[in-house]
Amino acid sequence: QILNKRNQKEVEIMTVDDLAGFLKLNPATIRKLAGKSKIPGRKVGRSWRFEKRNIIDFLHNKEQVPP
């Protein structure tokens, strides 16, 4: 967890494996979605990192979009 200096809240950073476990998806699927900018994340070197709060917000917003 990292302290966000703007609003002094802790930010939980997840790896591909962390996020795969959280979403119950294969890590390769997470990498594929991140590479296509289908989920919010950042590439750090050769690895992906995701803010848990951004993923949760993304999922909530996706649920409200009509099919």
PDB file of all heavy atoms in Angstrom, residues 10-39:
ATOM      1  N   GLU A  10      -4.444   5.741   1.811  1.00  0.00           N
ATOM      2  CA  GLU A  10      -3.603   4.655   1.342  1.00  0.00           C
ATOM      3  C   GLU A  10      -4.174   4.100   0.050  1.00  0.00           C
ATOM      4  O   GLU A  10      -5.384   3.968  -0.107  1.00  0.00           O
ATOM      5  CB  GLU A  10      -3.506   3.556   2.396  1.00  0.00           C
ATOM      6  CG  GLU A  10      -2.669   3.967   3.582  1.00  0.00           C
ATOM      7  CD  GLU A  10      -2.414   2.826   4.541  1.00  0.00           C
ATOM      8  OE1 GLU A  10      -2.555   1.653   4.147  1.00  0.00           O
ATOM      9  OE2 GLU A  10      -2.073   3.113   5.679  1.00  0.00           O
ATOM     10  N   VAL A  11      -3.276   3.808  -0.883  1.00  0.00           N
ATOM     11  CA  VAL A  11      -3.658   3.274  -2.183  1.00  0.00           C
ATOM     12  C   VAL A  11      -3.130   1.848  -2.258  1.00  0.00           C
ATOM     13  O   VAL A  11      -1.942   1.621  -2.072  1.00  0.00           O
ATOM     14  CB  VAL A  11      -3.054   4.127  -3.324  1.00  0.00           C
ATOM     15  CG1 VAL A  11      -3.376   3.529  -4.674  1.00  0.00           C
ATOM     16  CG2 VAL A  11      -3.543   5.559  -3.226  1.00  0.00           C
ATOM     17  N   GLU A  12      -4.031   0.901  -2.514  1.00  0.00           N
ATOM     18  CA  GLU A  12      -3.607  -0.484  -2.636  1.00  0.00           C
ATOM     19  C   GLU A  12      -3.248  -0.774  -4.093  1.00  0.00           C
ATOM     20  O   GLU A  12      -4.079  -0.635  -4.985  1.00  0.00           O
ATOM     21  CB  GLU A  12      -4.698  -1.443  -2.172  1.00  0.00           C
ATOM     22  CG  GLU A  12      -4.206  -2.873  -2.147  1.00  0.00           C
ATOM     23  CD  GLU A  12      -5.189  -3.839  -1.509  1.00  0.00           C
ATOM     24  OE1 GLU A  12      -6.187  -3.379  -0.943  1.00  0.00           O
ATOM     25  OE2 GLU A  12      -4.934  -5.043  -1.602  1.00  0.00           O
ATOM     26  N   ILE A  13      -1.995  -1.146  -4.303  1.00  0.00           N
ATOM     27  CA  ILE A  13      -1.488  -1.461  -5.630  1.00  0.00           C
ATOM     28  C   ILE A  13      -1.489  -2.972  -5.797  1.00  0.00           C
ATOM     29  O   ILE A  13      -1.031  -3.704  -4.914  1.00  0.00           O
ATOM     30  CB  ILE A  13      -0.057  -0.916  -5.823  1.00  0.00           C
ATOM     31  CG1 ILE A  13      -0.010   0.592  -5.595  1.00  0.00           C
ATOM     32  CG2 ILE A  13       0.494  -1.293  -7.193  1.00  0.00           C
ATOM     33  CD1 ILE A  13      -0.820   1.401  -6.580  1.00  0.00           C
ATOM     34  N   MET A  14      -2.013  -3.423  -6.936  1.00  0.00           N
ATOM     35  CA  MET A  14      -2.110  -4.856  -7.208  1.00  0.00           C
ATOM     36  C   MET A  14      -1.262  -5.223  -8.421  1.00  0.00           C
ATOM     37  O   MET A  14      -1.161  -4.448  -9.369  1.00  0.00           O
ATOM     38  CB  MET A  14      -3.571  -5.236  -7.467  1.00  0.00           C
ATOM     39  CG  MET A  14      -4.503  -4.877  -6.326  1.00  0.00           C
ATOM     40  SD  MET A  14      -6.231  -5.158  -6.738  1.00  0.00           S
ATOM     41  CE  MET A  14      -6.340  -6.900  -6.423  1.00  0.00           C
ATOM     42  N   THR A  15      -0.699  -6.410  -8.380  1.00  0.00           N
ATOM     43  CA  THR A  15       0.018  -6.960  -9.523  1.00  0.00           C
ATOM     44  C   THR A  15      -0.979  -7.700 -10.405  1.00  0.00           C
ATOM     45  O   THR A  15      -2.152  -7.851 -10.045  1.00  0.00           O
ATOM     46  CB  THR A  15       1.099  -7.950  -9.064  1.00  0.00           C
ATOM     47  OG1 THR A  15       0.451  -9.055  -8.428  1.00  0.00           O
ATOM     48  CG2 THR A  15       2.105  -7.300  -8.108  1.00  0.00           C
ATOM     49  N   VAL A  16      -0.509  -8.208 -11.528  1.00  0.00           N
ATOM     50  CA  VAL A  16      -1.363  -9.007 -12.407  1.00  0.00           C
ATOM     51  C   VAL A  16      -1.916 -10.209 -11.640  1.00  0.00           C
ATOM     52  O   VAL A  16      -3.113 -10.501 -11.708  1.00  0.00           O
ATOM     53  CB  VAL A  16      -0.587  -9.471 -13.662  1.00  0.00           C
ATOM     54  CG1 VAL A  16      -1.342 -10.548 -14.416  1.00  0.00           C
ATOM     55  CG2 VAL A  16      -0.303  -8.284 -14.565  1.00  0.00           C
ATOM     56  N   ASP A  17      -1.056 -10.896 -10.900  1.00  0.00           N
ATOM     57  CA  ASP A  17      -1.506 -12.072 -10.148  1.00  0.00           C
ATOM     58  C   ASP A  17      -2.508 -11.701  -9.063  1.00  0.00           C
ATOM     59  O   ASP A  17      -3.489 -12.413  -8.840  1.00  0.00           O
ATOM     60  CB  ASP A  17      -0.324 -12.828  -9.549  1.00  0.00           C
ATOM     61  CG  ASP A  17       0.510 -13.547 -10.600  1.00  0.00           C
ATOM     62  OD1 ASP A  17      -0.036 -13.867 -11.683  1.00  0.00           O
ATOM     63  OD2 ASP A  17       1.707 -13.795 -10.347  1.00  0.00           O
ATOM     64  N   ASP A  18      -2.268 -10.567  -8.367  1.00  0.00           N
ATOM     65  CA  ASP A  18      -3.212 -10.097  -7.348  1.00  0.00           C
ATOM     66  C   ASP A  18      -4.582  -9.839  -7.969  1.00  0.00           C
ATOM     67  O   ASP A  18      -5.612 -10.270  -7.454  1.00  0.00           O
ATOM     68  CB  ASP A  18      -2.737  -8.789  -6.707  1.00  0.00           C
ATOM     69  CG  ASP A  18      -1.458  -8.917  -5.903  1.00  0.00           C
ATOM     70  OD1 ASP A  18      -1.145 -10.030  -5.435  1.00  0.00           O
ATOM     71  OD2 ASP A  18      -0.772  -7.881  -5.753  1.00  0.00           O
ATOM     72  N   LEU A  19      -4.563  -9.116  -9.086  1.00  0.00           N
ATOM     73  CA  LEU A  19      -5.820  -8.755  -9.740  1.00  0.00           C
ATOM     74  C   LEU A  19      -6.523  -9.980 -10.308  1.00  0.00           C
ATOM     75  O   LEU A  19      -7.748 -10.095 -10.227  1.00  0.00           O
ATOM     76  CB  LEU A  19      -5.574  -7.716 -10.834  1.00  0.00           C
ATOM     77  CG  LEU A  19      -6.818  -7.151 -11.505  1.00  0.00           C
ATOM     78  CD1 LEU A  19      -7.774  -6.534 -10.486  1.00  0.00           C
ATOM     79  CD2 LEU A  19      -6.431  -6.133 -12.564  1.00  0.00           C
ATOM     80  N   ALA A  20      -5.751 -10.909 -10.849  1.00  0.00           N
ATOM     81  CA  ALA A  20      -6.342 -12.148 -11.376  1.00  0.00           C
ATOM     82  C   ALA A  20      -7.065 -12.894 -10.266  1.00  0.00           C
ATOM     83  O   ALA A  20      -8.182 -13.382 -10.458  1.00  0.00           O
ATOM     84  CB  ALA A  20      -5.261 -13.016 -12.018  1.00  0.00           C
ATOM     85  N   GLY A  21      -6.472 -12.976  -9.099  1.00  0.00           N
ATOM     86  CA  GLY A  21      -7.112 -13.626  -7.961  1.00  0.00           C
ATOM     87  C   GLY A  21      -8.350 -12.876  -7.507  1.00  0.00           C
ATOM     88  O   GLY A  21      -9.390 -13.473  -7.212  1.00  0.00           O
ATOM     89  N   PHE A  22      -8.258 -11.559  -7.465  1.00  0.00           N
ATOM     90  CA  PHE A  22      -9.367 -10.713  -7.035  1.00  0.00           C
ATOM     91  C   PHE A  22     -10.563 -10.856  -7.975  1.00  0.00           C
ATOM     92  O   PHE A  22     -11.710 -10.946  -7.538  1.00  0.00           O
ATOM     93  CB  PHE A  22      -8.883  -9.258  -6.971  1.00  0.00           C
ATOM     94  CG  PHE A  22      -9.918  -8.264  -6.559  1.00  0.00           C
ATOM     95  CD1 PHE A  22     -10.429  -8.262  -5.279  1.00  0.00           C
ATOM     96  CD2 PHE A  22     -10.366  -7.309  -7.449  1.00  0.00           C
ATOM     97  CE1 PHE A  22     -11.383  -7.329  -4.885  1.00  0.00           C
ATOM     98  CE2 PHE A  22     -11.315  -6.364  -7.078  1.00  0.00           C
ATOM     99  CZ  PHE A  22     -11.823  -6.380  -5.790  1.00  0.00           C
ATOM    100  N   LEU A  23     -10.305 -10.888  -9.281  1.00  0.00           N
ATOM    101  CA  LEU A  23     -11.376 -10.977 -10.276  1.00  0.00           C
ATOM    102  C   LEU A  23     -11.692 -12.408 -10.700  1.00  0.00           C
ATOM    103  O   LEU A  23     -12.608 -12.630 -11.486  1.00  0.00           O
ATOM    104  CB  LEU A  23     -11.002 -10.163 -11.531  1.00  0.00           C
ATOM    105  CG  LEU A  23     -10.830  -8.662 -11.327  1.00  0.00           C
ATOM    106  CD1 LEU A  23     -10.412  -8.004 -12.636  1.00  0.00           C
ATOM    107  CD2 LEU A  23     -12.103  -8.032 -10.795  1.00  0.00           C
ATOM    108  N   LYS A  24     -10.901 -13.342 -10.178  1.00  0.00           N
ATOM    109  CA  LYS A  24     -11.062 -14.760 -10.531  1.00  0.00           C
ATOM    110  C   LYS A  24     -10.937 -14.973 -12.042  1.00  0.00           C
ATOM    111  O   LYS A  24     -11.764 -15.609 -12.686  1.00  0.00           O
ATOM    112  CB  LYS A  24     -12.379 -15.302  -9.991  1.00  0.00           C
ATOM    113  CG  LYS A  24     -12.432 -15.268  -8.470  1.00  0.00           C
ATOM    114  CD  LYS A  24     -13.694 -15.868  -7.926  1.00  0.00           C
ATOM    115  CE  LYS A  24     -13.817 -15.849  -6.433  1.00  0.00           C
ATOM    116  NZ  LYS A  24     -12.975 -15.067  -5.626  1.00  0.00           N
ATOM    117  N   LEU A  25      -9.869 -14.395 -12.589  1.00  0.00           N
ATOM    118  CA  LEU A  25      -9.534 -14.541 -13.998  1.00  0.00           C
ATOM    119  C   LEU A  25      -8.114 -15.071 -14.123  1.00  0.00           C
ATOM    120  O   LEU A  25      -7.322 -14.994 -13.188  1.00  0.00           O
ATOM    121  CB  LEU A  25      -9.621 -13.187 -14.719  1.00  0.00           C
ATOM    122  CG  LEU A  25     -10.996 -12.554 -14.845  1.00  0.00           C
ATOM    123  CD1 LEU A  25     -10.878 -11.142 -15.390  1.00  0.00           C
ATOM    124  CD2 LEU A  25     -11.886 -13.397 -15.740  1.00  0.00           C
ATOM    125  N   ASN A  26      -7.789 -15.553 -15.293  1.00  0.00           N
ATOM    126  CA  ASN A  26      -6.444 -16.018 -15.578  1.00  0.00           C
ATOM    127  C   ASN A  26      -5.518 -14.805 -15.708  1.00  0.00           C
ATOM    128  O   ASN A  26      -5.912 -13.798 -16.311  1.00  0.00           O
ATOM    129  CB  ASN A  26      -6.482 -16.822 -16.889  1.00  0.00           C
ATOM    130  CG  ASN A  26      -5.188 -17.511 -17.166  1.00  0.00           C
ATOM    131  OD1 ASN A  26      -4.159 -16.866 -17.348  1.00  0.00           O
ATOM    132  ND2 ASN A  26      -5.249 -18.825 -17.225  1.00  0.00           N
ATOM    133  N   PRO A  27      -4.289 -14.866 -15.173  1.00  0.00           N
ATOM    134  CA  PRO A  27      -3.358 -13.741 -15.316  1.00  0.00           C
ATOM    135  C   PRO A  27      -3.134 -13.326 -16.774  1.00  0.00           C
ATOM    136  O   PRO A  27      -2.980 -12.139 -17.068  1.00  0.00           O
ATOM    137  CB  PRO A  27      -2.064 -14.256 -14.679  1.00  0.00           C
ATOM    138  CG  PRO A  27      -2.528 -15.258 -13.682  1.00  0.00           C
ATOM    139  CD  PRO A  27      -3.734 -15.918 -14.305  1.00  0.00           C
ATOM    140  N   ALA A  28      -3.144 -14.283 -17.692  1.00  0.00           N
ATOM    141  CA  ALA A  28      -2.968 -13.950 -19.113  1.00  0.00           C
ATOM    142  C   ALA A  28      -4.123 -13.079 -19.601  1.00  0.00           C
ATOM    143  O   ALA A  28      -3.929 -12.173 -20.420  1.00  0.00           O
ATOM    144  CB  ALA A  28      -2.872 -15.223 -19.949  1.00  0.00           C
ATOM    145  N   THR A  29      -5.322 -13.326 -19.094  1.00  0.00           N
ATOM    146  CA  THR A  29      -6.485 -12.509 -19.464  1.00  0.00           C
ATOM    147  C   THR A  29      -6.317 -11.082 -18.953  1.00  0.00           C
ATOM    148  O   THR A  29      -6.627 -10.122 -19.661  1.00  0.00           O
ATOM    149  CB  THR A  29      -7.782 -13.134 -18.906  1.00  0.00           C
ATOM    150  OG1 THR A  29      -7.903 -14.459 -19.409  1.00  0.00           O
ATOM    151  CG2 THR A  29      -9.007 -12.321 -19.265  1.00  0.00           C
ATOM    152  N   ILE A  30      -5.805 -10.945 -17.744  1.00  0.00           N
ATOM    153  CA  ILE A  30      -5.563  -9.612 -17.174  1.00  0.00           C
ATOM    154  C   ILE A  30      -4.551  -8.865 -18.034  1.00  0.00           C
ATOM    155  O   ILE A  30      -4.755  -7.698 -18.377  1.00  0.00           O
ATOM    156  CB  ILE A  30      -5.060  -9.717 -15.716  1.00  0.00           C
ATOM    157  CG1 ILE A  30      -6.109 -10.384 -14.816  1.00  0.00           C
ATOM    158  CG2 ILE A  30      -4.647  -8.348 -15.179  1.00  0.00           C
ATOM    159  CD1 ILE A  30      -7.406  -9.631 -14.674  1.00  0.00           C
ATOM    160  N   ARG A  31      -3.461  -9.517 -18.403  1.00  0.00           N
ATOM    161  CA  ARG A  31      -2.442  -8.872 -19.248  1.00  0.00           C
ATOM    162  C   ARG A  31      -3.034  -8.450 -20.594  1.00  0.00           C
ATOM    163  O   ARG A  31      -2.752  -7.355 -21.088  1.00  0.00           O
ATOM    164  CB  ARG A  31      -1.261  -9.808 -19.476  1.00  0.00           C
ATOM    165  CG  ARG A  31      -0.364  -9.956 -18.282  1.00  0.00           C
ATOM    166  CD  ARG A  31       0.870 -10.794 -18.606  1.00  0.00           C
ATOM    167  NE  ARG A  31       1.488 -11.235 -17.379  1.00  0.00           N
ATOM    168  CZ  ARG A  31       1.208 -12.382 -16.764  1.00  0.00           C
ATOM    169  NH1 ARG A  31       0.339 -13.224 -17.297  1.00  0.00           N
ATOM    170  NH2 ARG A  31       1.800 -12.695 -15.640  1.00  0.00           N
ATOM    171  N   LYS A  32      -3.849  -9.312 -21.167  1.00  0.00           N
ATOM    172  CA  LYS A  32      -4.476  -9.026 -22.457  1.00  0.00           C
ATOM    173  C   LYS A  32      -5.407  -7.815 -22.357  1.00  0.00           C
ATOM    174  O   LYS A  32      -5.351  -6.903 -23.182  1.00  0.00           O
ATOM    175  CB  LYS A  32      -5.257 -10.258 -22.921  1.00  0.00           C
ATOM    176  CG  LYS A  32      -5.825 -10.177 -24.296  1.00  0.00           C
ATOM    177  CD  LYS A  32      -6.520 -11.498 -24.604  1.00  0.00           C
ATOM    178  CE  LYS A  32      -6.892 -11.635 -26.041  1.00  0.00           C
ATOM    179  NZ  LYS A  32      -7.561 -12.908 -26.317  1.00  0.00           N
ATOM    180  N   LEU A  33      -6.258  -7.791 -21.323  1.00  0.00           N
ATOM    181  CA  LEU A  33      -7.180  -6.670 -21.120  1.00  0.00           C
ATOM    182  C   LEU A  33      -6.426  -5.374 -20.857  1.00  0.00           C
ATOM    183  O   LEU A  33      -6.782  -4.317 -21.385  1.00  0.00           O
ATOM    184  CB  LEU A  33      -8.135  -6.975 -19.959  1.00  0.00           C
ATOM    185  CG  LEU A  33      -9.146  -8.098 -20.197  1.00  0.00           C
ATOM    186  CD1 LEU A  33      -9.854  -8.454 -18.896  1.00  0.00           C
ATOM    187  CD2 LEU A  33     -10.154  -7.687 -21.268  1.00  0.00           C
ATOM    188  N   ALA A  34      -5.377  -5.441 -20.060  1.00  0.00           N
ATOM    189  CA  ALA A  34      -4.582  -4.249 -19.751  1.00  0.00           C
ATOM    190  C   ALA A  34      -3.874  -3.742 -21.004  1.00  0.00           C
ATOM    191  O   ALA A  34      -3.848  -2.535 -21.270  1.00  0.00           O
ATOM    192  CB  ALA A  34      -3.576  -4.560 -18.649  1.00  0.00           C
ATOM    193  N   GLY A  35      -3.332  -4.660 -21.789  1.00  0.00           N
ATOM    194  CA  GLY A  35      -2.633  -4.281 -23.013  1.00  0.00           C
ATOM    195  C   GLY A  35      -3.539  -3.614 -24.030  1.00  0.00           C
ATOM    196  O   GLY A  35      -3.101  -2.769 -24.814  1.00  0.00           O
ATOM    197  N   LYS A  36      -4.821  -3.949 -23.996  1.00  0.00           N
ATOM    198  CA  LYS A  36      -5.808  -3.349 -24.904  1.00  0.00           C
ATOM    199  C   LYS A  36      -6.542  -2.173 -24.257  1.00  0.00           C
ATOM    200  O   LYS A  36      -7.528  -1.681 -24.796  1.00  0.00           O
ATOM    201  CB  LYS A  36      -6.822  -4.406 -25.340  1.00  0.00           C
ATOM    202  CG  LYS A  36      -6.225  -5.478 -26.215  1.00  0.00           C
ATOM    203  CD  LYS A  36      -7.277  -6.471 -26.644  1.00  0.00           C
ATOM    204  CE  LYS A  36      -6.678  -7.512 -27.574  1.00  0.00           C
ATOM    205  NZ  LYS A  36      -7.704  -8.431 -28.073  1.00  0.00           N
ATOM    206  N   SER A  37      -6.063  -1.751 -23.084  1.00  0.00           N
ATOM    207  CA  SER A  37      -6.665  -0.640 -22.322  1.00  0.00           C
ATOM    208  C   SER A  37      -8.135  -0.886 -21.996  1.00  0.00           C
ATOM    209  O   SER A  37      -8.929   0.047 -21.919  1.00  0.00           O
ATOM    210  CB  SER A  37      -6.510   0.684 -23.080  1.00  0.00           C
ATOM    211  OG  SER A  37      -5.146   0.980 -23.262  1.00  0.00           O
ATOM    212  N   LYS A  38      -8.499  -2.145 -21.761  1.00  0.00           N
ATOM    213  CA  LYS A  38      -9.874  -2.496 -21.395  1.00  0.00           C
ATOM    214  C   LYS A  38     -10.100  -2.388 -19.894  1.00  0.00           C
ATOM    215  O   LYS A  38     -11.233  -2.345 -19.431  1.00  0.00           O
ATOM    216  CB  LYS A  38     -10.202  -3.926 -21.845  1.00  0.00           C
ATOM    217  CG  LYS A  38     -10.107  -4.135 -23.327  1.00  0.00           C
ATOM    218  CD  LYS A  38     -11.302  -3.561 -24.028  1.00  0.00           C
ATOM    219  CE  LYS A  38     -11.251  -3.917 -25.503  1.00  0.00           C
ATOM    220  NZ  LYS A  38     -12.366  -3.394 -26.240  1.00  0.00           N
ATOM    221  N   ILE A  39      -9.008  -2.389 -19.121  1.00  0.00           N
ATOM    222  CA  ILE A  39      -9.075  -2.195 -17.674  1.00  0.00           C
ATOM    223  C   ILE A  39      -8.024  -1.147 -17.299  1.00  0.00           C
ATOM    224  O   ILE A  39      -6.991  -1.039 -17.961  1.00  0.00           O
ATOM    225  CB  ILE A  39      -8.848  -3.504 -16.874  1.00  0.00           C
ATOM    226  CG1 ILE A  39      -7.526  -4.164 -17.252  1.00  0.00           C
ATOM    227  CG2 ILE A  39     -10.004  -4.466 -17.052  1.00  0.00           C
ATOM    228  CD1 ILE A  39      -7.175  -5.374 -16.407  1.00  0.00           C
TER     229      ILE A  39
END
